[in-house]
Amino acid sequence: MTSTSAGLVGRPLVQKYGGTSVSTPARIRKVAQRVAASRRHRGGVVVVVSAMGDTTDRLHSLAHQVSRRPAEREMDTLLSAGETVTAPLLAMALDDLGVAALSLSGAQAGIRTSHSHTRAHILDVVPTRVIAELKAGRTVVVAGFQGVNEALDTTTLGRGGSDTTAVALAAALEARECEINTDVKGIYTADPRIVSRARLLAGISYDEMIELAALGAQVMHPRAVEIAELYDLPVRVRGSFDDGPGTLITRSPRMEQKKRVRGIAAEEKVAKLTLIGVPDQPGIAASIFTPLSEAGISVDVIIQNVSRDGVTDLSFTVASGDLAQAETIVGRVSKKIRAAGVASDAKVAKVSIVGTGMLGQPGIAARMFKALADAGINIEMISTSEIRITCIVARDRVAEAVRALHKAYQLDQA
Protein backbone atom coordinates (compact mmCIF):
# COMPACT_ATOMS: atom_id res chain seq x y z
CA MET A 1 0.00 0.00 0.00
CA THR A 2 1.20 3.50 -0.79
CA SER A 3 1.70 5.39 2.47
CA THR A 4 1.58 9.17 2.37
CA SER A 5 0.81 9.65 6.04
CA ALA A 6 3.79 11.89 6.79
CA GLY A 7 2.66 14.97 8.64
CA LEU A 8 -0.29 13.39 10.38
CA VAL A 9 -0.52 14.22 14.05
CA GLY A 10 -0.51 10.78 15.66
CA ARG A 11 -1.58 7.56 14.01
CA PRO A 12 -5.31 7.42 13.22
CA LEU A 13 -7.75 4.73 14.28
CA VAL A 14 -9.67 2.99 11.49
CA GLN A 15 -13.09 1.59 12.36
CA LYS A 16 -15.38 -0.51 10.18
CA TYR A 17 -19.10 -0.96 10.80
CA GLY A 18 -20.99 -3.78 9.07
CA GLY A 19 -24.43 -3.77 7.50
CA THR A 20 -26.39 -4.81 10.60
CA SER A 21 -24.69 -2.07 12.61
CA VAL A 22 -25.97 0.63 10.22
CA SER A 23 -29.23 -1.04 9.17
CA THR A 24 -31.55 1.73 10.40
CA PRO A 25 -31.34 5.51 10.98
CA ALA A 26 -31.43 4.85 14.74
CA ARG A 27 -28.44 2.52 14.49
CA ILE A 28 -26.53 4.99 12.32
CA ARG A 29 -27.04 7.59 15.05
CA LYS A 30 -25.74 5.10 17.65
CA VAL A 31 -22.67 4.42 15.50
CA ALA A 32 -22.14 8.19 15.22
CA GLN A 33 -22.15 8.45 19.01
CA ARG A 34 -19.57 5.66 19.25
CA VAL A 35 -17.36 7.28 16.59
CA ALA A 36 -17.64 10.65 18.38
CA ALA A 37 -16.52 9.01 21.65
CA SER A 38 -13.56 7.37 19.89
CA ARG A 39 -12.55 10.73 18.46
CA ARG A 40 -12.68 12.40 21.89
CA HIS A 41 -10.58 9.72 23.56
CA ARG A 42 -8.33 8.46 20.78
CA GLY A 43 -7.79 11.26 18.26
CA GLY A 44 -8.18 11.02 14.47
CA VAL A 45 -10.71 8.48 13.22
CA VAL A 46 -11.44 7.06 9.77
CA VAL A 47 -14.66 5.06 9.46
CA VAL A 48 -15.44 2.48 6.76
CA VAL A 49 -19.08 1.50 6.36
CA SER A 50 -21.05 -1.25 4.64
CA ALA A 51 -24.45 -0.89 2.99
CA MET A 52 -27.47 -0.68 5.29
CA GLY A 53 -28.86 -4.09 6.25
CA ASP A 54 -29.88 -6.13 3.21
CA THR A 55 -29.45 -3.26 0.72
CA THR A 56 -26.89 -5.14 -1.39
CA ASP A 57 -29.20 -8.16 -1.70
CA ARG A 58 -32.11 -5.92 -2.71
CA LEU A 59 -30.02 -4.14 -5.35
CA HIS A 60 -28.86 -7.50 -6.68
CA SER A 61 -32.49 -8.64 -6.91
CA LEU A 62 -33.49 -5.46 -8.73
CA ALA A 63 -30.79 -6.02 -11.32
CA HIS A 64 -32.10 -9.48 -12.10
CA GLN A 65 -35.65 -8.19 -12.33
CA VAL A 66 -34.71 -5.89 -15.20
CA SER A 67 -32.08 -8.05 -16.90
CA ARG A 68 -31.54 -11.76 -17.42
CA ARG A 69 -27.77 -11.26 -17.50
CA PRO A 70 -26.78 -7.93 -15.91
CA ALA A 71 -23.45 -6.63 -17.21
CA GLU A 72 -20.80 -6.90 -14.52
CA ARG A 73 -19.69 -3.30 -14.96
CA GLU A 74 -23.22 -2.04 -14.38
CA MET A 75 -23.65 -4.44 -11.45
CA ASP A 76 -20.64 -2.87 -9.77
CA THR A 77 -21.97 0.63 -10.33
CA LEU A 78 -25.32 -0.43 -8.89
CA LEU A 79 -24.07 -2.46 -5.90
CA SER A 80 -21.59 0.22 -4.84
CA ALA A 81 -24.53 2.59 -4.34
CA GLY A 82 -25.41 0.89 -1.04
CA GLU A 83 -22.22 2.03 0.68
CA THR A 84 -22.31 5.47 -0.91
CA VAL A 85 -25.71 5.95 0.76
CA THR A 86 -24.51 4.87 4.21
CA ALA A 87 -21.36 7.01 4.25
CA PRO A 88 -23.02 10.45 3.86
CA LEU A 89 -25.79 9.45 6.28
CA LEU A 90 -23.21 8.70 8.96
CA ALA A 91 -21.33 11.93 8.15
CA MET A 92 -24.60 13.85 8.63
CA ALA A 93 -25.22 12.13 11.97
CA LEU A 94 -21.70 13.04 13.10
CA ASP A 95 -22.22 16.68 12.06
CA ASP A 96 -25.34 16.76 14.24
CA LEU A 97 -23.17 15.73 17.20
CA GLY A 98 -20.76 18.58 16.52
CA VAL A 99 -18.13 16.33 14.92
CA ALA A 100 -16.80 17.71 11.65
CA ALA A 101 -17.11 14.85 9.16
CA LEU A 102 -16.81 14.18 5.44
CA SER A 103 -17.89 11.17 3.37
CA LEU A 104 -15.80 9.76 0.53
CA SER A 105 -16.42 7.09 -2.07
CA GLY A 106 -13.85 4.34 -2.48
CA ALA A 107 -12.39 6.13 -5.49
CA GLN A 108 -12.11 9.43 -3.59
CA ALA A 109 -10.41 7.61 -0.72
CA GLY A 110 -7.76 6.30 -3.14
CA ILE A 111 -8.76 2.62 -3.33
CA ARG A 112 -7.16 1.38 -6.58
CA THR A 113 -8.22 -2.06 -7.77
CA SER A 114 -7.73 -4.66 -10.45
CA HIS A 115 -9.94 -4.51 -13.53
CA SER A 116 -12.15 -7.47 -12.59
CA HIS A 117 -15.73 -6.47 -11.89
CA THR A 118 -17.72 -7.91 -8.94
CA ARG A 119 -14.57 -9.55 -7.49
CA ALA A 120 -11.78 -6.98 -7.84
CA HIS A 121 -8.66 -7.03 -5.68
CA ILE A 122 -7.09 -3.95 -4.11
CA LEU A 123 -3.81 -3.19 -5.86
CA ASP A 124 -2.91 0.01 -4.00
CA VAL A 125 -4.30 2.63 -1.67
CA VAL A 126 -3.35 6.28 -2.21
CA PRO A 127 -5.11 8.03 0.69
CA THR A 128 -4.09 11.60 -0.19
CA ARG A 129 -7.59 13.02 0.28
CA VAL A 130 -8.15 11.08 3.51
CA ILE A 131 -4.94 12.46 5.00
CA ALA A 132 -5.78 16.01 3.95
CA GLU A 133 -9.16 15.81 5.67
CA LEU A 134 -7.65 14.29 8.84
CA LYS A 135 -5.13 17.13 8.96
CA ALA A 136 -8.03 19.57 8.67
CA GLY A 137 -9.55 18.01 11.78
CA ARG A 138 -12.36 16.08 10.10
CA THR A 139 -13.53 12.55 10.70
CA VAL A 140 -13.54 10.73 7.37
CA VAL A 141 -16.31 8.26 6.49
CA VAL A 142 -15.38 5.97 3.58
CA ALA A 143 -17.77 3.81 1.55
CA GLY A 144 -16.42 0.26 1.84
CA PHE A 145 -16.63 -2.66 -0.61
CA GLN A 146 -15.61 -0.52 -3.60
CA GLY A 147 -12.76 1.07 -5.50
CA VAL A 148 -11.81 2.21 -8.97
CA ASN A 149 -9.78 0.53 -11.72
CA GLU A 150 -7.41 1.98 -14.31
CA ALA A 151 -10.33 2.79 -16.62
CA LEU A 152 -11.87 4.84 -13.75
CA ASP A 153 -14.77 2.39 -13.58
CA THR A 154 -16.23 1.58 -10.19
CA THR A 155 -15.41 -1.93 -9.00
CA THR A 156 -16.60 -3.97 -6.03
CA LEU A 157 -14.50 -6.32 -3.91
CA GLY A 158 -16.85 -9.25 -3.39
CA ARG A 159 -17.80 -10.86 -0.10
CA GLY A 160 -16.12 -9.23 2.89
CA GLY A 161 -15.17 -6.24 0.78
CA SER A 162 -15.71 -3.65 3.50
CA ASP A 163 -13.40 -5.57 5.86
CA THR A 164 -10.77 -5.55 3.12
CA THR A 165 -11.26 -1.83 2.50
CA ALA A 166 -10.82 -1.02 6.18
CA VAL A 167 -7.69 -3.11 6.68
CA ALA A 168 -6.04 -1.90 3.45
CA LEU A 169 -6.81 1.72 4.30
CA ALA A 170 -5.49 1.25 7.84
CA ALA A 171 -2.26 -0.22 6.46
CA ALA A 172 -1.81 2.70 4.05
CA LEU A 173 -2.45 5.22 6.85
CA GLU A 174 -0.09 3.36 9.19
CA ALA A 175 -2.98 3.28 11.65
CA ARG A 176 -2.32 2.15 15.20
CA GLU A 177 -5.17 -0.36 14.94
CA CYS A 178 -8.08 -1.40 12.74
CA GLU A 179 -11.38 -2.11 14.48
CA ILE A 180 -13.89 -4.41 12.83
CA ASN A 181 -17.18 -3.57 14.56
CA THR A 182 -19.82 -6.20 13.98
CA ASP A 183 -22.90 -7.86 15.50
CA VAL A 184 -20.87 -10.19 17.76
CA LYS A 185 -18.51 -9.32 20.62
CA GLY A 186 -15.44 -10.80 18.95
CA ILE A 187 -14.02 -14.15 17.85
CA TYR A 188 -15.44 -17.15 19.69
CA THR A 189 -14.22 -20.71 20.08
CA ALA A 190 -17.25 -21.67 17.94
CA ASP A 191 -20.35 -20.02 16.56
CA PRO A 192 -22.29 -19.03 19.72
CA ARG A 193 -25.53 -19.61 17.83
CA ILE A 194 -24.56 -23.30 17.66
CA VAL A 195 -22.63 -23.71 20.90
CA SER A 196 -24.22 -21.84 23.80
CA ARG A 197 -21.04 -22.15 25.89
CA ALA A 198 -18.70 -20.88 23.18
CA ARG A 199 -16.03 -18.67 24.73
CA LEU A 200 -14.82 -15.25 23.58
CA LEU A 201 -11.10 -15.30 22.72
CA ALA A 202 -8.98 -12.39 23.98
CA GLY A 203 -6.46 -12.87 21.18
CA ILE A 204 -5.76 -14.99 18.13
CA SER A 205 -2.97 -15.19 15.55
CA TYR A 206 -3.27 -14.11 11.95
CA ASP A 207 -2.76 -17.68 10.74
CA GLU A 208 -5.49 -19.07 12.98
CA MET A 209 -7.91 -16.32 11.99
CA ILE A 210 -7.25 -16.84 8.28
CA GLU A 211 -8.04 -20.54 8.67
CA LEU A 212 -11.18 -19.93 10.74
CA ALA A 213 -12.41 -17.31 8.25
CA ALA A 214 -11.69 -19.53 5.25
CA LEU A 215 -13.39 -22.49 6.91
CA GLY A 216 -16.70 -20.81 7.60
CA ALA A 217 -16.34 -18.27 10.41
CA GLN A 218 -18.33 -15.28 9.15
CA VAL A 219 -16.81 -12.54 11.32
CA MET A 220 -14.01 -11.55 8.92
CA HIS A 221 -12.96 -12.26 5.36
CA PRO A 222 -9.63 -14.14 5.05
CA ARG A 223 -8.34 -11.66 2.45
CA ALA A 224 -8.61 -8.84 4.99
CA VAL A 225 -6.65 -10.85 7.57
CA GLU A 226 -3.98 -11.65 4.97
CA ILE A 227 -3.44 -7.93 4.35
CA ALA A 228 -3.25 -7.27 8.10
CA GLU A 229 -0.62 -9.99 8.47
CA LEU A 230 1.40 -8.63 5.55
CA TYR A 231 1.61 -5.19 7.18
CA ASP A 232 1.71 -6.47 10.77
CA LEU A 233 -1.40 -4.43 11.52
CA PRO A 234 -3.29 -5.22 14.75
CA VAL A 235 -6.98 -5.87 14.08
CA ARG A 236 -9.56 -5.81 16.86
CA VAL A 237 -12.94 -7.49 16.30
CA ARG A 238 -15.58 -6.20 18.69
CA GLY A 239 -19.31 -5.63 19.04
CA SER A 240 -20.58 -2.42 17.45
CA PHE A 241 -22.52 -1.47 20.57
CA ASP A 242 -20.51 -3.32 23.20
CA ASP A 243 -17.85 -1.74 25.42
CA GLY A 244 -15.83 -4.95 25.80
CA PRO A 245 -12.29 -5.30 24.40
CA GLY A 246 -13.29 -7.88 21.79
CA THR A 247 -10.61 -10.08 20.21
CA LEU A 248 -7.21 -8.79 19.09
CA ILE A 249 -5.74 -10.40 15.97
CA THR A 250 -1.94 -10.10 15.94
CA ARG A 251 1.13 -12.02 14.88
CA SER A 252 1.91 -13.41 18.34
CA PRO A 253 -1.00 -13.10 20.77
CA ARG A 254 -0.71 -14.31 24.33
CA MET A 255 -1.21 -18.02 23.86
CA GLU A 256 -3.41 -20.18 26.04
CA GLN A 257 -0.77 -22.84 26.58
CA LYS A 258 -3.24 -25.56 27.54
CA LYS A 259 -5.35 -25.12 24.44
CA ARG A 260 -3.88 -26.78 21.38
CA VAL A 261 -7.14 -26.36 19.49
CA ARG A 262 -8.30 -22.74 19.48
CA GLY A 263 -11.59 -22.91 17.64
CA ILE A 264 -14.15 -24.90 15.68
CA ALA A 265 -15.43 -23.69 12.31
CA ALA A 266 -18.23 -24.98 10.11
CA GLU A 267 -19.30 -24.24 6.56
CA GLU A 268 -22.60 -25.48 5.15
CA LYS A 269 -22.40 -24.00 1.65
CA VAL A 270 -20.35 -26.92 0.35
CA ALA A 271 -20.90 -29.53 -2.36
CA LYS A 272 -18.96 -32.65 -3.29
CA LEU A 273 -18.13 -33.91 -6.78
CA THR A 274 -16.74 -37.37 -7.55
CA LEU A 275 -15.26 -38.54 -10.84
CA ILE A 276 -15.72 -42.30 -11.02
CA GLY A 277 -13.34 -44.62 -12.85
CA VAL A 278 -10.67 -42.03 -13.65
CA PRO A 279 -7.64 -43.36 -15.57
CA ASP A 280 -4.70 -43.39 -13.17
CA GLN A 281 -2.03 -41.75 -15.32
CA PRO A 282 0.06 -38.53 -15.41
CA GLY A 283 -1.72 -35.33 -16.41
CA ILE A 284 -5.24 -36.42 -15.48
CA ALA A 285 -5.48 -34.28 -12.35
CA ALA A 286 -4.32 -31.23 -14.30
CA SER A 287 -6.91 -31.86 -17.01
CA ILE A 288 -9.61 -31.88 -14.31
CA PHE A 289 -8.60 -28.92 -12.16
CA THR A 290 -7.19 -26.54 -14.78
CA PRO A 291 -10.57 -25.77 -16.44
CA LEU A 292 -12.14 -25.33 -12.99
CA SER A 293 -9.44 -22.82 -12.09
CA GLU A 294 -9.89 -20.98 -15.39
CA ALA A 295 -13.60 -20.65 -14.58
CA GLY A 296 -12.76 -19.09 -11.22
CA ILE A 297 -13.97 -22.10 -9.24
CA SER A 298 -12.04 -22.79 -6.06
CA VAL A 299 -11.52 -26.44 -5.13
CA ASP A 300 -11.00 -27.36 -1.50
CA VAL A 301 -10.77 -30.87 -0.04
CA ILE A 302 -9.39 -33.38 -2.58
CA ILE A 303 -9.31 -37.16 -2.05
CA GLN A 304 -8.07 -39.78 -4.53
CA ASN A 305 -8.72 -43.45 -3.83
CA VAL A 306 -6.13 -46.17 -4.24
CA SER A 307 -5.81 -47.19 -7.88
CA ARG A 308 -7.21 -50.57 -8.92
CA ASP A 309 -6.85 -52.02 -12.40
CA GLY A 310 -5.50 -48.67 -13.64
CA VAL A 311 -8.48 -46.56 -12.56
CA THR A 312 -9.39 -44.60 -9.44
CA ASP A 313 -12.12 -42.35 -8.01
CA LEU A 314 -11.37 -38.68 -7.39
CA SER A 315 -13.51 -36.57 -5.04
CA PHE A 316 -13.29 -32.87 -4.21
CA THR A 317 -15.42 -30.09 -2.76
CA VAL A 318 -16.53 -26.74 -4.16
CA ALA A 319 -18.76 -23.95 -2.89
CA SER A 320 -22.46 -24.77 -3.27
CA GLY A 321 -22.95 -21.76 -5.52
CA ASP A 322 -20.36 -23.16 -7.96
CA LEU A 323 -21.82 -26.68 -8.13
CA ALA A 324 -23.88 -26.29 -11.31
CA GLN A 325 -21.03 -24.75 -13.28
CA ALA A 326 -18.53 -27.24 -11.86
CA GLU A 327 -20.79 -30.16 -12.85
CA THR A 328 -20.91 -28.87 -16.42
CA ILE A 329 -17.14 -28.48 -16.63
CA VAL A 330 -16.36 -31.80 -14.96
CA GLY A 331 -18.94 -33.53 -17.16
CA ARG A 332 -17.06 -32.39 -20.26
CA VAL A 333 -13.72 -33.39 -18.77
CA SER A 334 -15.10 -36.79 -17.77
CA LYS A 335 -15.95 -37.61 -21.37
CA LYS A 336 -12.61 -36.32 -22.60
CA ILE A 337 -10.56 -38.48 -20.21
CA ARG A 338 -12.96 -41.41 -20.57
CA ALA A 339 -13.94 -41.61 -16.92
CA ALA A 340 -16.89 -43.82 -15.96
CA GLY A 341 -19.04 -40.94 -14.78
CA VAL A 342 -19.63 -38.05 -12.36
CA ALA A 343 -21.57 -38.03 -9.08
CA SER A 344 -22.42 -35.02 -6.94
CA ASP A 345 -23.71 -34.41 -3.42
CA ALA A 346 -25.09 -31.00 -2.46
CA LYS A 347 -25.92 -32.03 1.12
CA VAL A 348 -22.51 -32.00 2.76
CA ALA A 349 -20.71 -29.55 5.07
CA LYS A 350 -17.24 -28.90 6.46
CA VAL A 351 -16.36 -28.98 10.14
CA SER A 352 -12.82 -28.05 11.18
CA ILE A 353 -10.61 -27.70 14.22
CA VAL A 354 -7.99 -24.92 14.12
CA GLY A 355 -4.95 -24.11 16.27
CA THR A 356 -1.25 -23.40 15.86
CA GLY A 357 -0.66 -25.46 19.00
CA MET A 358 -1.79 -28.59 17.16
CA LEU A 359 1.43 -28.96 15.21
CA GLY A 360 3.37 -32.00 16.36
CA GLN A 361 0.90 -32.87 19.12
CA PRO A 362 -0.09 -36.56 19.14
CA GLY A 363 -3.71 -37.41 19.76
CA ILE A 364 -5.28 -34.24 18.36
CA ALA A 365 -6.66 -35.93 15.23
CA ALA A 366 -7.61 -39.10 17.10
CA ARG A 367 -9.71 -37.11 19.56
CA MET A 368 -11.55 -35.41 16.67
CA PHE A 369 -12.36 -38.66 14.93
CA LYS A 370 -13.45 -40.33 18.17
CA ALA A 371 -15.73 -37.42 19.11
CA LEU A 372 -17.47 -37.62 15.74
CA ALA A 373 -17.69 -41.42 15.92
CA ASP A 374 -19.18 -41.29 19.42
CA ALA A 375 -21.82 -38.89 18.07
CA GLY A 376 -22.60 -41.32 15.24
CA ILE A 377 -21.40 -38.86 12.58
CA ASN A 378 -19.80 -40.39 9.49
CA ILE A 379 -16.69 -38.74 8.02
CA GLU A 380 -16.81 -38.67 4.22
CA MET A 381 -13.52 -36.87 3.52
CA ILE A 382 -10.55 -35.58 5.55
CA SER A 383 -8.11 -32.78 4.80
CA THR A 384 -5.26 -31.46 6.96
CA SER A 385 -2.74 -28.63 7.16
CA GLU A 386 -0.22 -27.63 9.82
CA ILE A 387 -2.87 -25.83 11.87
CA ARG A 388 -6.22 -27.39 10.97
CA ILE A 389 -8.05 -30.65 10.32
CA THR A 390 -11.21 -30.56 8.19
CA CYS A 391 -13.82 -33.29 7.87
CA ILE A 392 -16.65 -33.47 5.35
CA VAL A 393 -19.86 -34.66 6.99
CA ALA A 394 -23.58 -34.72 6.20
CA ARG A 395 -24.98 -31.20 6.30
CA ASP A 396 -27.82 -32.09 8.64
CA ARG A 397 -25.27 -33.30 11.24
CA VAL A 398 -22.82 -30.38 11.11
CA ALA A 399 -24.21 -28.43 14.09
CA GLU A 400 -24.09 -31.61 16.18
CA ALA A 401 -20.50 -32.15 15.02
CA VAL A 402 -19.48 -28.65 16.12
CA ARG A 403 -20.97 -29.18 19.58
CA ALA A 404 -19.32 -32.58 19.94
CA LEU A 405 -15.89 -31.23 19.02
CA HIS A 406 -16.23 -28.14 21.21
CA LYS A 407 -16.96 -30.44 24.15
CA ALA A 408 -14.22 -32.92 23.27
CA TYR A 409 -11.53 -30.22 23.32
CA GLN A 410 -13.03 -28.52 26.39
CA LEU A 411 -13.07 -25.15 24.65
CA ASP A 412 -15.66 -23.77 27.03
CA GLN A 413 -12.95 -23.75 29.73
CA ALA A 414 -10.35 -21.00 29.91
Side-chain angles (χ1 to χ4, degrees), residues 211 301 358 365 369 382-391:
E211 288 285 5
V301 182
M358 291 165 45
F369 303 149
I382 301 169
S383 175
T384 66
S385 76
E386 290 184 347
I387 66 170
R388 60 102 177 148
I389 303 174
T390 296
C391 293

Side-chain angles (χ1 to χ4, degrees), residues 175-188:
R176 57 183 178 272
E177 188 173 285
C178 180
E179 282 186 7
I180 303 296
N181 292 274
T182 183
D183 54 357
V184 294
K185 294 181 180 180
I187 309 300
Y188 286 80

